Amino acid sequence: MIRRLALAAALLCAAAFPAFAQTAPIPLRAVGHFSANTHQVEIERAFYARLPGETGINLAITFNPMDQIGLQAADALRHLRSGAFDVMAVLIGQTSRDEPFFDGLDLIGVSTNVADLEKAVAAGREAFDKRLQDRFGAHALAIWPFGPQYFFCNAPVRGVADLRGLKVRSYTPSMTALLQHWGAIPVTLQFSEVYPALQRGLVACGVTSAVSAYTGNWGEVTTHVLPLSVAGGIQGHFMSAAAWRRFSPPQQQAIAAAFRKLENELWEFAKVSDAQSLACLEGRPDCTTRRFANVISPVPAEDDARVREAVSAVVLPTFRDSCNRIWGECAAVWNRTVGAARGYAIP
């Protein structure tokens, strides 16, 4: 009788614990964005903290922003392919040296507002994920933007014409082509390198989102903002195939659903943070946090036309030539996905 009671008590105790407490923890080494992107990193930390409970999977998660462990953004896909990390936040444009096709989701000048970028990502996601799996053995679990990419300068830049002869931070091949077309001098820098470069006068302008410029304190080393959006700053959270295979099909579905919620949260944050960050960079009264004193110039009407002209003249041909050298189907796949959604065709 005593044995039966003890057995019943043990079964009741086991049932009282979550199912994942009865299994060995599954390790997950996750790398986040640069720590200067404080809002995005906070969202990432909160996501990974709730991921075990949300999925019902016993996960042993290690999370670090990439700069805190000495990683370069451009190497993210290589780290996933090698198995060094399981999940990585990826600045997609900066990894395009390894796979030019990935730059196609957010080609400079093609999607200049969030609504257009959503259409481009929806159209290109399946082809992007297949190429990612084929080339780097990874799955695209979330794809999202930082927000409209503007010009933040330590010189009086009030239109595209003022960029001529200036050194401007670039982070994708298509952005480099655009800047050269306008007579600027592109300088490739990752985000953490831009503040000191602006501070020392090594570059006159940096291109990033308003929220990144604000949280990165660029307002301390810039004086003028040209809010001409040339892209959306597309990002991703990718999991290596080796890590993905650790999970059963139901667990994979739960993880994919959790990352979709993260993706939606980051899209919404990109939409609301843009205006708030510009207000604080300009030092307007409606800013309730730290204020800077940058001059935000109205975008000249002719500059929108200059962006469209540059897309046809240099951005699409540059993308075609670099991408087709690596993958002969590149331009054709882009035309029937992102290009069709945005009304562009590479000849």
Side-chain angles (χ1 to χ4, degrees):
M1 179 68 177
I2 293 173
R3 289 179 180 176
R4 287 200 298 271
L5 288 173
L7 178 59
L11 291 172
L12 286 171
C13 288
F17 285 95
F20 66 72
Q22 302 171 40
T23 62
I26 299 175
L28 202 66
R29 298 159 296 174
V31 178
H33 272 277
F34 292 105
S35 52
N37 293 314
T38 54
H39 292 299
Q40 286 84 1
V41 171
E42 287 170 3
I43 290 172
E44 287 178 311
R45 284 191 191 280
F47 168 75
Y48 286 115
R50 68 176 182 263
L51 188 60
E54 187 172 337
T55 60
I57 305 170
N58 190 5
L59 297 169
I61 300 175
T62 303
F63 171 80
N64 291 288
M66 68 177 69
D67 54 312
Q68 291 186 0
I69 51 177
L71 299 184
Q72 298 290 312
D75 297 328
L77 296 179
R78 300 180 184 190
H79 290 307
L80 282 172
R81 183 167 57 189
S82 72
F85 298 97
D86 300 318
V87 185
M88 294 198 70
V90 178
L91 286 74
I92 292 175
Q94 293 192 29
T95 63
S96 58
R97 70 175 188 187
D98 289 334
E99 178 48 69
F101 178 67
F102 295 161
D103 196 20
L105 271 188
D106 191 23
L107 277 180
I108 298 302
V110 169
S111 303
T112 56
N113 59 65
V114 174
D116 287 344
L117 186 61
E118 285 181 304
K119 296 174 185 175
V121 170
R125 181 189 291 268
E126 183 178 350
F128 181 98
D129 188 46
K130 185 179 186 306
R131 187 69 176 163
L132 180 66
Q133 291 182 45
D134 291 345
R135 286 291 316 279
F136 297 95
H139 296 267
L141 297 180
I143 300 175
W144 52 276
F146 263 120
Q149 304 288 289
Y150 303 136
F151 295 85
F152 299 85
C153 304
N154 56 23
V157 172
R158 296 182 173 87
V160 166
D162 295 331
L163 293 172
R164 181 169 294 277
L166 298 183
K167 291 183 179 179
V168 182
R169 179 253 182 155
S170 174
Y171 59 84
T172 72
S174 59
M175 185 180 295
T176 294
L178 179 85
L179 293 172
Q180 290 174 331
H181 184 66
W182 287 341
I185 304 167
V187 180
T188 301
L189 298 171
Q190 67 177 18
F191 184 81
S192 59
E193 298 170 324
V194 182
Y195 180 102
L198 286 165
Q199 186 180 44
R200 298 168 189 164
L202 301 178
V203 295
C205 302
V207 180
T208 193
S209 67
V211 67
S212 294
Y214 178 69
T215 57
N217 293 315
W218 286 19
E220 295 176 343
V221 291
T222 58
T223 58
H224 289 71
V225 179
L226 176 63
L228 173 67
S229 175
V230 293
I234 203 72
Q235 317 289 308
H237 282 88
F238 302 159
M239 180 179 288
S240 72
W244 185 247
R245 288 193 295 269
R246 295 174 197 159
F247 302 103
S248 68
Q251 289 175 329
Q252 291 173 352
Q253 292 176 5
I255 290 171
F259 272 94
R260 283 196 296 272
K261 291 181 182 178
L262 173 67
E263 176 179 300
N264 291 337
E265 183 179 0
L266 288 164
W267 273 96
E268 187 59 31
F269 179 72
K271 294 173 184 177
V272 302
S273 64
D274 182 64
Q276 295 171 349
S277 299
L278 285 176
C280 292
L281 285 161
E282 193 175 24
R284 295 203 299 264
D286 54 326
C287 173
T288 58
T289 53
R290 185 183 182 188
R291 299 176 188 173
F292 296 100
N294 278 223
V295 174
I296 300 182
S297 304
V299 177
E302 61 269 21
D303 279 5
D304 288 326
R306 286 173 173 164
V307 172
R308 291 191 297 272
E309 183 274 332
V311 168
S312 298
V314 294
V315 173
L316 294 182
T318 298
F319 173 67
R320 175 198 62 208
D321 294 345
S322 63
C323 195
N324 279 359
R325 277 197 298 269
I326 303 298
W327 184 34
E329 299 178 41
C330 176
V333 172
W334 189 89
N335 279 345
R336 65 174 180 259
T337 55
V338 176
R342 293 293 307 115
Y344 285 98
I346 299 173

